[in-house]
Amino acid sequence: MSSAKAAAALSARHWGVLLVLCGAIFLEGIDVAMLNVALPSIRADLGLSTGSLQWVMSAYVLGYGGFMLVGGRAADLFGRRRMFVLWLSVFLLFSGLGGFATEGWTLIAARFVTGVAAAFMAPAGLSLITTGFEEGPRRNKALLLYSGTAAGGFSIGLVVGGLLTSAGWRWVFFAPVVLSALILAAALALVPRTPRPDRAGRSADLAGGLTITAAVVLLVLGVERAAHTSLVRTLGTLGAGLVLLAVFIAMERRSASPLVRLGIFRSGALVRAHLIGLLFAAGFFGFQFLVVLYLQELRDWSTVETSFAMIVIGADAILSPVLTPKLVNRFGNARVIFGGLLLASLSYALFLPVGADWTYLAMLPSLLTLGIAFSLAYGPLTIVATEGVREEEQGLAGGLLYTAFQFGAAIGLSAATAVNASATASSSPAALLDGYRTALWVPLAAALLATLIGALGLRGRPAVAVAAAGVPADRTADELPASR
């Protein structure tokens, strides 16, 4: 075995922990994807209006995005395993309750709590990896496996959701209960207990937590509802969110034990990772949304046909653990991320001239290229966003990254929806196609901007030279102290 392979080798205990955590992130991805597919059936059965149906998705987004920073910090302060197990249990319970809903408001409430549970569970799971696997090849391997599983869950969820919905939409909520129970049992058995975190001199910063949660909820709500409400309400909601964000920053500057230590943003690599993550998620989710509309509204493809057509994007579930680690070891995170962003831009550009009668083979290059792009960008972004961060702030690092992803997804979906609606003059096939073509510039613009930011990370010494000097790849020596 080579020295590189030996350094990345995982013990049986590591594999057990990684199996549990990958199962949890797979659960989150499959849960969201299955619900996306089931929405039309839910509306028909419960008699929901379009606005109420939108809230079934928005409630989860608000809970997930709004509480992510608090969830990440809670993992640091109260114990990562404890938070992971507790909120996985809550996720299990409220996912099941959603399946018993007979009215729209009960389903919306269940989805909100499920989103909150995911907001605490996801950063706790990520921080269990970043603190349980030493920084370097072993942690990189674990994070790339983890990110590939997350993407695979979403892709597989599209297909499984279509199949379950054909049997009844309630199975979309009951199936995650079974998977959650299995993961919970495995977590209790395989994830080792750790001593209670030393909170001496560190408080929970309740005021900061409430302020940032309200700020993020308002910002996500403003973006999420932008295409469905008036401009005045949108600007008012976003303005209120920005005011609360400014208040939060002022509070954190004066706090002896801040929820978010602002010094963490002195790392250029970490800030770039968050900005790129936001834009990458905006393009990725906006593009998928438009492709689904094109296939189902214009081409009249069934839910199952659409799901199988999109599953090729899930190629990243295979490439992330197999190809990406080799590329990261050879070229460094920044260069691999940049390559992924270039491929994402190419993918969206290839779909711009979409026609009313495109065959699946005509769409395949774009969809497959996007899967490869995701495998190159997502995992390395996770590595950069958590690399060099103090162990007691790893939960916070995960919360910041997932907040960026979630906020980006909301921006991408809202922008794509708004542009599509404004560019569609009527319900005729030609008008629908014009709307899709115009809206497809949204994900392309997001990917190009992310690529530009990613190019800034290519400056400095080559990754191999940096690593040889004892500094993690893509982190120059002057950046490291600022992130600690």
Side-chain angles (χ1 to χ4, degrees), residues 460-474:
R461 288 179 289 166
V464 175
V466 174
V471 180
D474 303 325

Side-chain angles (χ1 to χ4, degrees), residues 73-150:
R73 196 60 179 144
D76 292 330
L77 293 175
F78 302 109
R80 299 178 176 92
R81 181 185 187 273
R82 185 176 293 107
M83 288 292 100
F84 179 78
V85 169
L86 171 63
W87 289 99
L88 176 58
S89 303
V90 176
F91 189 98
L92 182 158
L93 175 62
F94 278 86
S95 181
L97 290 177
F100 290 109
T102 56
E103 296 183 35
W105 72 267
T106 56
L107 181 56
I108 291 169
R111 289 307 293 170
F112 177 76
V113 178
T114 304
V116 173
F120 280 81
M121 183 176 69
L126 178 59
S127 63
L128 280 169
I129 291 180
T130 55
T131 57
F133 297 75
E134 61 269 27
E135 190 170 303
R138 192 168 293 175
R139 183 193 291 182
N140 291 352
K141 180 177 181 179
L143 287 175
L144 292 171
L145 284 167
Y146 185 74
S147 62
T149 305

Side-chain angles (χ1 to χ4, degrees), residues 56 64 96 110 161 179 182 184 221 227 230 247-249 259 299-300 379 430 432 434 448:
V56 173
Y64 190 54
L179 183 57
L182 292 174
L184 180 60
L221 178 62
S230 67
V247 171
F248 171 75
I249 293 173
L259 178 75
R299 304 298 299 278
D300 200 28
L432 290 174
D434 287 341
L448 290 174

Side-chain angles (χ1 to χ4, degrees), residues 325-396:
K326 297 178 182 178
L327 296 176
V328 166
N329 289 337
R330 181 168 183 179
F331 301 107
N333 288 307
R335 288 165 177 77
V336 175
I337 292 170
F338 183 71
L341 298 175
L342 284 177
L343 287 178
S345 302
L346 174 62
S347 169
Y348 304 146
L350 288 174
F351 216 88
L352 284 177
V354 61
D357 56 352
W358 264 23
T359 64
Y360 183 63
L361 286 178
M363 308 174 210
L364 188 59
S366 176
L367 301 178
L368 185 57
T369 301
L370 183 56
I372 299 172
F374 198 99
S375 70
L376 296 182
Y378 184 67
L381 278 172
T382 306
I383 294 171
V384 175
T386 56
E387 192 175 49
V389 177
R390 295 187 301 209
E391 181 171 326
E392 61 268 25
E393 292 183 325
Q394 283 293 333
L396 170 63

